[in-house]
Amino acid sequence: MAQSRSDANRIFIAGAGIGGLTAALCLSRRSRPVTVIEQASELRPVGSGLQLPPNTMQVMRELGLEDALLPHVVAPRAIQVMTAHSEDPVAEIPLGATAEKRYGAPYLVIHRADLQAVLLQAARASAGITLRLGTRLRDAAQNADRIKLEFERAGDDADPQAPLDHDTGAALIGADGVWSTVRRRIMGLRGAAFSGRTAYRAVIPVSEVPQRWRNVTGLWLGPRAHIVHYPLAGGEQFNLVALVEEDWQEEVWSAQADRDALLSRFRDWPRGCRELLSLPSSWLKWALCSMDPGTSWVDGRFALLGDAAHAMLPFAAQGAAMAIEDADALARHLSEGMDDVPRALRAYEAERQDRAERVMRLSRANDRIYHMRRPLSLARDAVMRALPSERLLARLDWLYGWRPPGA
Ligand SMILES: Cc1cc2nc3c(=O)[nH]c(=O)nc-3n(C[C@H](O)[C@H](O)[C@H](O)COP(=O)(O)OP(=O)(O)OC[C@H]3O[C@@H](n4cnc5c(N)ncnc54)[C@H](O)[C@@H]3O)c2cc1C
């Protein structure tokens, strides 16, 4: 057996993504020793934009990261909702100062890579966190007292003949994303399934984008597809995502997409929309996966968080947010309950599961509503036009108004 750094109270987190790094920081803040295992040997700036709604900013504030995030974020003034038939908004949901006043924290958007870099820098500066990049979790076992883990080196320069590495600790947290090894291989649960939806993404300089779109989140609804766009990177970049009903299946984040096929798919949409879509010279795509609610996230000393627990369609823009909320709750329960780790993990699950499943249901409902065809879409648009804009926001108070207990 290779060298072991065994520590009876050490918590192991698989995955240095958004949820894993946030969980490590929340645990370390409560003086718990943590090791984060990440298969990537380098956290490259992959991906595009994510929403950091008020419910996540409460956690970022507690971690003291708000100032570090500020140069990278944008606080859109509003969400403007258009349709495949007209670029005149059918609704405008106020964000900006209205959201900040209502929820006590701002509604922000950020590039995933910028958020991960801020979290990573804070984790590196934290004496209680050990980071092991280029290390893939392969397997794990547990008994009443501890967990035992098996790793392999991963990454371009990894030697396939190298012996496996082992370690022991108090708990294993699977924050290893939508294709989670902890979920599928170690806990034996059903993984995420392809949803028949594909997301096309591009990031371009904001200077190329008409002024009208630089300060808002745009949401275009149409038959079997919708489009989301917003500024990023402190207002320097612009994020475009087209989400289409297309049953392409591959477990990758960044496949090259066919730009012409994408543009042709939206050829009947309003001119302003088509002009935006034609700005990027190339597009990347990833296949959207989701899980069915109802499976347990905890087995003894093993627990799941983020996408590994509840991968959902990104149609409520809450994937990262739920991972961040999970991280806060996990750290609270674990730090108070190290004398009985399985009980602490069950308490974490009991606190989080209903809320995450409610957001999963919202994402599925949005899938139906956003992609309606006529005549149903006419009724949808009429309802949206009729509702006062603050009412549209108030319907999401249960979501954005969340905060950690005591915050
Ligand atoms: C490279 C990448 C790009 C993404 N781009 C986007 C995007 O553009 N838009 C969007 O909405 N969402 C994107 N996501 C997903 C988004 O980050 C999540 O939906 C959300 O933030 C919840 O995060 P999470 O912490 O649960 O998982 P993630 O942020 O997905 O992190 C999971 C981490 O676990 C690591 N991992 C997986 N298996 C193992 C293993 N066996 N051992 C060790 N480490 C392991 C992965 O390398 C990854 O770093 C991306 C995710 C990744 C990994």
Side-chain angles (χ1 to χ4, degrees):
M1 185 189 296
Q3 182 202 1
S4 167
R5 286 156 296 278
S6 132
D7 174 340
N9 281 323
R10 182 161 292 273
I11 294 154
F12 282 83
I13 298 176
I18 306 307
L21 288 172
T22 308
L25 291 166
C26 292
L27 283 161
S28 172
R29 189 173 153 258
R30 292 173 169 86
S31 308
R32 296 293 159 202
V34 190
T35 296
V36 183
I37 308 297
E38 167 57 49
Q39 63 185 1
S41 46
E42 192 190 338
L43 296 181
R44 297 197 183 101
V46 188
S48 60
L50 295 173
Q51 322 272 325
L52 275 181
N55 44 317
T56 59
M57 289 313 295
Q58 305 284 3
V59 179
M60 293 298 139
R61 237 174 226 174
E62 286 204 335
L63 292 174
L65 295 180
E66 207 171 0
D67 287 348
L69 289 169
L70 273 184
H72 307 290
V73 299
V74 175
R77 181 179 62 71
I79 300 175
Q80 281 192 352
V81 186
M82 284 72 56
T83 70
H85 308 292
S86 165
E87 57 192 80
D88 294 333
V90 291
E92 181 164 304
I93 306 169
L95 295 177
T98 308
E100 181 153 9
K101 190 163 158 230
R102 193 174 187 96
Y103 304 117
Y107 190 115
L108 304 174
V109 289
I110 189 167
H111 197 296
R112 180 185 183 274
D114 289 336
L115 173 60
Q116 192 179 32
V118 167
L119 295 169
L120 183 66
Q121 195 181 10
R124 286 202 158 119
S126 170
I129 299 176
T130 304
L131 275 167
R132 294 181 62 186
L133 300 185
T135 306
R136 180 180 295 120
L137 178 70
R138 264 183 53 125
D139 215 339
Q142 60 175 318
N143 61 26
D145 304 319
R146 61 177 191 156
I147 55 158
K148 187 174 173 198
L149 306 176
E150 187 176 274
F151 316 113
E152 63 186 353
R153 296 295 301 162
D156 299 342
D157 56 350
D159 172 5
Q161 307 302 325
L164 295 175
D165 194 1
H166 297 80
D167 216 331
T168 58
L172 168 65
I173 311 305
D176 50 346
V178 62
W179 303 303
S180 167
T181 297
V182 179
R183 180 183 182 94
R184 295 187 291 193
R185 178 167 177 164
I186 296 173
M187 292 174 65
L189 298 172
R190 223 167 74 181
F194 288 101
S195 66
R197 306 299 178 250
T198 299
Y200 289 75
R201 69 171 193 264
V203 177
I204 55 175
V206 84
S207 54
E208 294 177 12
V209 176
Q211 197 69 40
R212 171 181 172 188
W213 305 118
R214 293 189 191 178
N215 191 19
V216 293
T217 291
L219 171 63
W220 300 76
L221 312 181
R224 297 207 180 93
H226 72 280
I227 294 162
V228 181
H229 53 74
Y230 46 84
L232 280 181
E236 297 284 311
Q237 296 176 354
F238 193 79
N239 185 51
L240 274 157
V241 186
L243 301 115
V244 302
E245 292 185 19
E246 177 183 293
D247 198 16
W248 169 74
Q249 303 192 353
E250 221 176 292
E251 290 188 7
V252 288
W253 283 110
S254 302
Q256 208 62 48
D258 182 337
R259 177 178 180 271
D260 292 340
L262 178 68
L263 296 184
S264 128
R265 183 160 188 145
F266 290 94
R267 63 180 175 270
D268 299 328
W269 289 47
R271 187 165 156 187
C273 176
R274 283 183 283 121
E275 279 172 1
L276 274 177
L277 295 181
S278 66
L279 291 175
S281 54
S282 64
W283 288 78
L284 296 170
K285 65 177 181 176
W286 83 98
L288 299 178
C289 294
S290 66
M291 290 168 187
D292 291 328
T295 49
S296 177
W297 309 350
V298 172
D299 173 7
R301 291 171 176 270
F302 300 153
L304 303 169
L305 74 70
D307 282 359
H310 44 65
M312 59 184 83
L313 292 171
F315 298 175
Q318 285 282 325
M322 287 301 111
I324 291 169
E325 287 187 12
D326 288 349
D328 167 82
L330 178 92
R332 269 187 283 111
H333 288 287
L334 258 186
S335 61
E336 285 159 18
M338 285 305 286
D339 51 331
D340 188 344
V341 168
R343 194 168 72 175
L345 294 178
R346 284 196 305 276
Y348 149 73
E349 180 188 56
E351 178 182 327
R352 293 296 305 154
Q353 203 160 32
D354 283 354
R355 179 167 167 84
E357 291 185 1
R358 189 172 178 190
V359 180
M360 289 167 105
R361 287 195 298 275
L362 174 68
S363 302
R364 287 200 177 165
N366 284 348
D367 182 26
R368 285 190 301 278
I369 295 165
Y370 289 2
H371 293 190
M372 275 173 179
R373 279 174 282 166
R374 284 181 162 169
L376 281 179
S377 65
L378 293 171
R380 173 199 67 200
D381 299 346
V383 170
M384 290 188 95
R385 276 197 195 92
L387 278 174
S389 55
E390 285 227 20
R391 277 273 301 282
L392 288 168
L393 185 60
R395 282 150 57 107
L396 293 171
D397 282 353
W398 65 272
L399 186 54
Y400 300 147
W402 179 92
R403 55 183 63 200

